Amino acid sequence: MQWPTHEVSNQVPELGDYNIFASDIVLADGVRRAQAGWHEENLTRFGAQLGSKEILLLGELANRHLPEFNSHDRFGNRVDFVEFHPSWHELLRLLRKEGLHALPWIQPKTGAHVARAAGYFMQSQVEAGSLCPTTMTFASIPVLANEPKLFSELQSKLFSCEHDPRDLPIPQKQSILIGMGMTEKQGGSDVRTNSTVARATNGEGRGTEYALTGHKWFFSAPMCDAHLVLARTDAGLSCFFVPRWRPDGSKNAVLVQRLKEKLGNRSNSSSEVEFQDAYGVMVGEEGRGIPTIIEMANHTRLDCVIGSAGLMRHAFVQAAHHARHRSAFGRKLAEQPLMRNVLSDLALESEAATLLMLRLASAFETPDDPLQRAWRRIVTPAAKFWICKRTLEFTGECMEVWGGNGYVENAPMARMYREAPVNSIWEGSGNVMCLDVLRAIERETEGFLLLLNDLGNVAAAHAGLHGLVAALRNDLMTPPEQREMLARRLVQRLVIAVQGSLMLQHAPTAVAEAFIASRMDSECGRVYGTLAAPILQQSILERAWPV
């Protein structure tokens, strides 16, 4: 027999059926400000769809049912096929339908990069793994567009807003996804050590065919229809377009060795592969593979910032929702002063991250403007370093708001916490990003000075922020032998100055002041919940989560 032993009470209702776009004041205002209001109706519809319980469940299902690798079919033929749960394909259909893989090129309007960033930011709050092939496809387009013959064969399939999961040669597909294959086991981020070789089979140089032999240690989303791969020729590292199927319709010799058992999302498959004279077409100039890929990396790094900012936003929303419904010691958590301090501090961090990702996306609107180039080339790696690192601490603090209920795998906080580290590693870890910022400043000092002048104009009337910008100018005088050692300090200072400037321009004055004061207060340190102005907590929280 069974009988009730207790009453279930004080449990927080599942968050769902809310509009991710309409409930985010900072995001909606930023879209309008960037002249992307033409896309606002779509974003509002998409936000309601993503916030539904049915779509939120897809993210859970895609991570509960892992991809399965099949090296051969039942007849013994080598197929290298990865099978996904239907929820994965539903998530990719959503992404594709909204054009998040190509929106600025499908609809080349003012504000298109910001419109796309807003959609990507919202999708990242549902499920992160499906963003990986979407990002790589998006970033591959400007690289492939420089190869007219190849691009003419691929453009309609790259721009298609239909998801085609079939494993077929590219000419038979309605749409395609593009991946990346850069790192090898001996080098990681140091791709100069790559040992994969490419042998010319029909002419030499750009646009000609090669046979690749070697391996890749991290080959993300192996079910993409093609990958951009670095391999070595006599002239040095070059970039190659390597499809899953050869032009004659036979399977290309890209052999999946195994799927990675990685820490973060379980929905996307990362793999190790070997090439056995795999067919590839050279993209870009021979021996210029790294510069060819750099343009792609700028876009993927931006998506790391957007995705981490989205992860922050969703973690905060879950924490705020929990605190409003959960009681402890006779009061709702959200009514308790110390918890309100923690939530307010998290809200400030999330708003500053959102403003930064939107500003970076807008910098891609005008590629020839020297100031916008400085934002793209200098601030993007700095933001990737800072925002992605802050996300680790941020999601951990939000999990702590949930207490023990957050530390279980059937609740959303555990998945976010496991996901948080990946963007700090993918496309270059923290040290790589900081060194890249230093290189960009050294190569484009005039651009850095334009950026400092831009920040200085905003900071002129704010003593604390003005001092921070002045310190950045002094950093240019640091002897080169010391600069590398101090790179993280410089980059941290740069990002806080940028975020403070954006908050002053776009947040209510009191909220901006609270952010700047706390981020420049040595007593605050890195622990959330140390704001010194409790009077602002109500307005900060109402702005951050008005639902």
Side-chain angles (χ1 to χ4, degrees):
M1 294 180 61
Q2 292 184 342
W3 62 91
T5 61
H6 65 284
E7 178 185 353
V8 176
S9 63
N10 198 25
Q11 289 293 303
V12 176
E14 194 84 26
L15 175 62
D17 293 331
Y18 73 105
N19 191 309
I20 293 179
F21 182 76
S23 62
D24 193 335
I25 293 171
V26 177
L27 181 65
D29 286 350
V31 166
R32 299 181 198 111
R33 189 168 54 247
Q35 302 180 59
W38 52 269
H39 202 58
E40 186 172 354
E41 184 176 339
N42 282 338
L43 289 170
T44 303
R45 172 193 50 75
F46 190 41
Q49 185 178 16
L50 290 175
S52 69
K53 290 181 179 179
E54 293 78 12
I55 299 302
L56 290 171
L57 179 61
L58 291 179
E60 179 185 335
L61 290 173
N63 283 275
R64 186 189 307 163
H65 301 280
L66 278 62
E68 296 182 4
F69 170 55
N70 299 287
S71 60
H72 295 76
D73 66 15
R74 67 187 183 92
F75 304 105
N77 299 307
R78 182 91 195 205
V79 292
D80 295 282
F81 182 75
V82 182
E83 184 178 357
F84 293 88
H85 188 264
S87 56
W88 166 263
H89 293 296
E90 286 301 317
L91 289 166
L92 284 178
R93 284 190 181 92
L94 279 174
L95 286 157
R96 199 90 193 196
K97 183 179 178 182
E98 298 303 318
L100 301 185
H101 65 293
L103 184 62
W105 295 284
I106 297 172
Q107 299 187 61
K109 301 179 181 180
T110 300
H113 278 278
V114 172
R116 185 259 176 185
Y120 189 100
F121 176 82
M122 292 194 297
Q123 180 88 21
S124 69
Q125 298 177 50
V126 174
E127 206 284 311
S130 53
L131 298 174
C132 179
T134 305
T135 282
M136 294 188 295
T137 302
F138 175 72
S140 74
I141 290 175
V143 175
L144 294 171
N146 291 325
E147 306 299 324
K149 182 178 183 300
L150 180 60
F151 193 64
S152 66
E153 300 169 3
L154 303 176
Q155 181 175 354
S156 64
K157 301 174 192 299
L158 286 168
F159 286 8
S160 170
C161 289
E162 299 292 329
H163 171 57
D164 186 346
R166 298 175 299 166
D167 185 22
L168 295 171
I170 287 176
Q172 300 177 37
K173 297 288 294 283
Q174 295 176 332
S175 65
I176 59 174
L177 292 168
I178 309 295
M180 297 168 64
M182 303 298 151
T183 61
E184 298 181 4
K185 58 172 65 75
Q186 73 278 2
S189 295
D190 186 5
V191 296
R192 294 171 299 176
T193 67
N194 280 14
S195 62
T196 298
V197 295
R199 173 177 54 85
T201 59
N202 186 15
E204 293 186 358
R206 192 170 195 162
T208 59
E209 299 175 5
Y210 284 74
L212 279 68
T213 299
H215 82 284
K216 295 298 169 185
W217 188 234
F218 282 96
F219 202 69
S220 292
M223 289 312 298
C224 286
D225 298 281
H227 285 74
L228 290 178
V229 171
L230 286 179
R232 191 171 296 281
T233 66
D234 291 340
L237 280 177
S238 303
C239 183
F240 296 89
F241 176 84
V242 180
R244 274 185 57 78
W245 297 81
R246 297 176 184 271
D248 64 6
S250 63
K251 172 79 171 54
N252 203 3
V254 180
L255 308 181
V256 178
Q257 302 303 297
R258 61 177 176 176
L259 300 186
K260 294 285 192 182
E261 295 185 17
K262 58 187 190 303
L263 168 68
N265 69 77
R266 312 280 172 76
S267 62
N268 183 39
S269 60
S270 295
S271 65
E272 301 167 20
V273 301
E274 290 185 356
F275 307 121
Q276 296 181 359
D277 273 353
Y279 168 87
V281 176
M282 185 177 287
V283 173
E285 297 295 333
E286 184 174 8
R288 300 283 294 168
I290 294 177
T292 299
I293 287 298
I294 284 296
E295 184 173 7
M296 191 173 182
N298 285 337
H299 287 288
T300 53
R301 288 172 178 178
L302 172 61
D303 276 6
C304 287
V305 177
I306 301 170
S308 289
L311 200 58
M312 278 188 183
R313 172 64 185 177
H314 189 57
F316 167 77
V317 166
Q318 288 283 2
H321 173 77
H322 183 90
R324 288 183 182 178
H325 291 85
R326 179 80 167 177
S327 296
F329 309 111
R331 283 188 294 176
K332 297 290 186 185
L333 290 176
E335 297 171 356
Q336 300 183 22
L338 186 53
M339 179 60 78
R340 293 176 66 81
N341 198 325
V342 171
L343 292 173
S344 298
D345 207 354
L346 291 168
L348 292 177
E349 188 79 22
S350 177
E351 176 163 354
T354 302
L355 290 176
L356 179 50
M357 73 89 180
L358 289 170
R359 178 62 183 86
L360 282 174
S362 70
F364 284 77
E365 300 279 346
T366 49
D368 298 326
D369 183 287
L371 175 59
Q372 304 312 313
R373 176 177 170 79
W375 274 89
R376 292 193 307 274
R377 187 65 189 88
I378 298 171
V379 182
T380 298
K384 181 187 177 304
F385 165 75
W386 185 250
I387 300 299
C388 297
K389 282 208 176 299
R390 294 293 280 172
T391 304
L392 274 80
E393 298 171 72
F394 191 101
T395 53
E397 193 71 62
C398 291
M399 178 186 285
E400 197 168 321
V401 172
W402 277 52
N405 288 330
Y407 201 68
V408 291
E409 287 288 353
N410 60 354
M413 302 307 301
R415 176 154 57 95
M416 282 186 273
Y417 187 68
R418 281 190 287 103
E419 184 67 22
V422 67
N423 285 332
S424 274
I425 299 171
W426 190 48
E427 287 303 305
S429 57
N431 283 356
V432 173
M433 290 300 97
C434 291
L435 294 175
D436 194 35
V437 172
L438 290 187
R439 281 191 294 270
I441 290 173
E442 290 166 1
R443 293 173 182 173
E444 305 187 26
T445 304
E446 291 185 7
F448 186 54
L449 292 174
L450 284 174
L451 177 62
L452 292 181
N453 290 337
D454 190 37
L455 296 175
N457 291 335
V458 178
H462 192 285
L465 197 57
H466 179 74
L468 205 57
V469 176
L472 287 168
R473 293 186 186 277
N474 291 335
D475 286 334
L476 288 174
M477 303 295 105
T478 305
E481 62 272 14
Q482 295 181 25
R483 200 175 298 165
E484 180 176 330
M485 180 192 71
L486 299 173
R488 288 193 175 211
R489 291 174 64 89
L490 185 153
V491 171
Q492 175 179 275
R493 185 180 292 139
L494 172 61
V495 178
I496 291 175
V498 166
Q499 288 186 314
S501 170
L502 293 171
M503 292 288 280
L504 277 178
Q505 293 176 78
H506 307 306
T509 301
V511 173
E513 290 283 358
F515 175 83
I516 295 169
S518 59
R519 272 54 183 175
M520 296 183 67
D521 183 353
S522 61
E523 293 186 15
C524 283
R526 296 176 66 107
V527 179
Y528 291 105
T530 55
L531 299 178
I535 194 171
L536 288 174
Q537 291 176 3
Q538 182 66 27
S539 59
I540 291 173
L541 291 176
E542 287 178 355
R543 173 176 171 80
W545 184 232
V547 175

